[in-house]
Amino acid sequence: ETGVTQTPRHLVMGMTNKKSLKCEQHLGHNAMYWYKQSAKKPLELMFVYSLEERVENNSVPSRFSPECPNSSHLFLHLHTLQPEDSALYLCASSQDWLENTEAFFGQGTRLTVV
Amino acid sequence: AQRVTQPEKLLSVFKGAPVELKCNYSYSGSPELFWYVQYSRQRLQLLLRHISRESIKGFTADLNKGETSFHLKKPFAQEEDSAMYYCALKSNYQLIWGAGTKLIIKP
């Protein structure tokens, strides 16, 4: 699939579980992002990676841990989450972070913490 | 503080009627604003940006610095315009998002 692909599409996990969300882009973009989308709230930027280096960390709890092993892949490692972390997690990429060109989004992972 | 406000959570209009989705922003510098759209079961995607001054799918948006607004307009709504619409502001190399407006076009 072209564009930005996220897996899994749906995830249910217990508060003591450890899981990872995966994002992949084959657009040749240099910047990748994790967003959290909660019901009826604006998208919240969680992490930004530019050229595989983290450039923004918007005060996200340490139970969320990002990893960017190469320019095409981005992970979000989850551990000991809380029910209020249930949300849609969106990955996006753009050609360049500084120029903030058009962001291309994945379809998201719907996370439910029980 | 930088902020984007979309005052309407839901907007419902009849096919063929004009549409205006409101967006107001708070920003101390020279703003760059965007509209993104999410159709049912599709991913979020860019609709238009103010610096391009373009019309996409019949939609236009004009930046009004005096009123700090960037409202999205279309003179004649079509059923396929039904979607979630998000206004976003570029600030410090990241996007600040509004909460979104759900647009429903009634036949």
Side-chain angles (χ1 to χ4, degrees), chain A residues 20-23 34 49 65-69 73-77:
Chain A
S20 296
L21 310 185
K22 179 181 176 182
C23 177
W34 279 117
Y49 276 81
S65 175
E67 179 190 2
C68 187
H73 294 84
L74 185 65
F75 294 89
L76 187 62
H77 303 299

Side-chain angles (χ1 to χ4, degrees), chain A residues 1 4 37 97-98 103 105, chain B residues 36 43 86 90 93-94 97:
Chain A
E1 183 182 338
V4 180
Q37 186 175 31
W97 168 61
L98 291 177
F105 284 83
Chain B
Y36 277 77
R43 60 194 70 202
Y86 296 91
K90 176 181 170 182
Y93 307 115
Q94 59 180 281
W97 296 80

Side-chain angles (χ1 to χ4, degrees), chain A residues 25-36:
Chain A
Q25 59 95 3
H26 295 290
L27 300 168
H29 288 170
N30 293 322
M32 296 186 77
Y33 312 79
W34 279 117
Y35 282 93
K36 177 182 179 182

Side-chain angles (χ1 to χ4, degrees), chain A residues 18-19 46-47 54 57-66 76-82 85:
Chain A
K18 287 185 181 181
K19 296 286 185 184
M46 299 176 73
F47 302 104
R54 192 193 304 186
N57 180 354
N58 290 4
S59 302
V60 179
S62 59
R63 56 186 184 268
F64 296 92
S65 175
L76 187 62
H77 303 299
L78 316 171
H79 63 100
T80 58
L81 295 193
Q82 304 297 313
D85 297 321

Side-chain angles (χ1 to χ4, degrees), chain A residues 1-6 23-32 70-74 91-95 104:
Chain A
E1 183 182 338
T2 57
V4 180
T5 304
Q6 290 186 243
C23 177
E24 191 171 349
Q25 59 95 3
H26 295 290
L27 300 168
H29 288 170
N30 293 322
M32 296 186 77
N70 55 61
S71 59
S72 299
H73 294 84
L74 185 65
C91 176
S93 71
S94 64
Q95 183 61 49
F104 290 78

Side-chain angles (χ1 to χ4, degrees), chain A residues 1-5 35 37 40-43 45 56 58 90 97-103 105-107, chain B residues 4 9 32 34 36 38 41-46 49 86 90-100:
Chain A
E1 183 182 338
T2 57
V4 180
T5 304
Y35 282 93
Q37 186 175 31
K40 300 177 183 176
K41 291 175 67 176
L43 270 72
L45 180 64
E56 285 287 337
N58 290 4
L90 291 171
W97 168 61
L98 291 177
E99 291 300 318
N100 209 351
T101 50
E102 176 181 353
F105 284 83
Q107 292 193 295
Chain B
V4 175
K9 289 190 172 60
E32 286 188 49
F34 306 80
Y36 277 77
Q38 187 170 26
R41 296 195 180 90
Q42 294 188 32
R43 60 194 70 202
L44 193 59
Q45 58 187 291
L46 178 67
R49 64 188 89 187
Y86 296 91
K90 176 181 170 182
S91 171
N92 295 328
Y93 307 115
Q94 59 180 281
L95 291 175
I96 309 296
W97 296 80

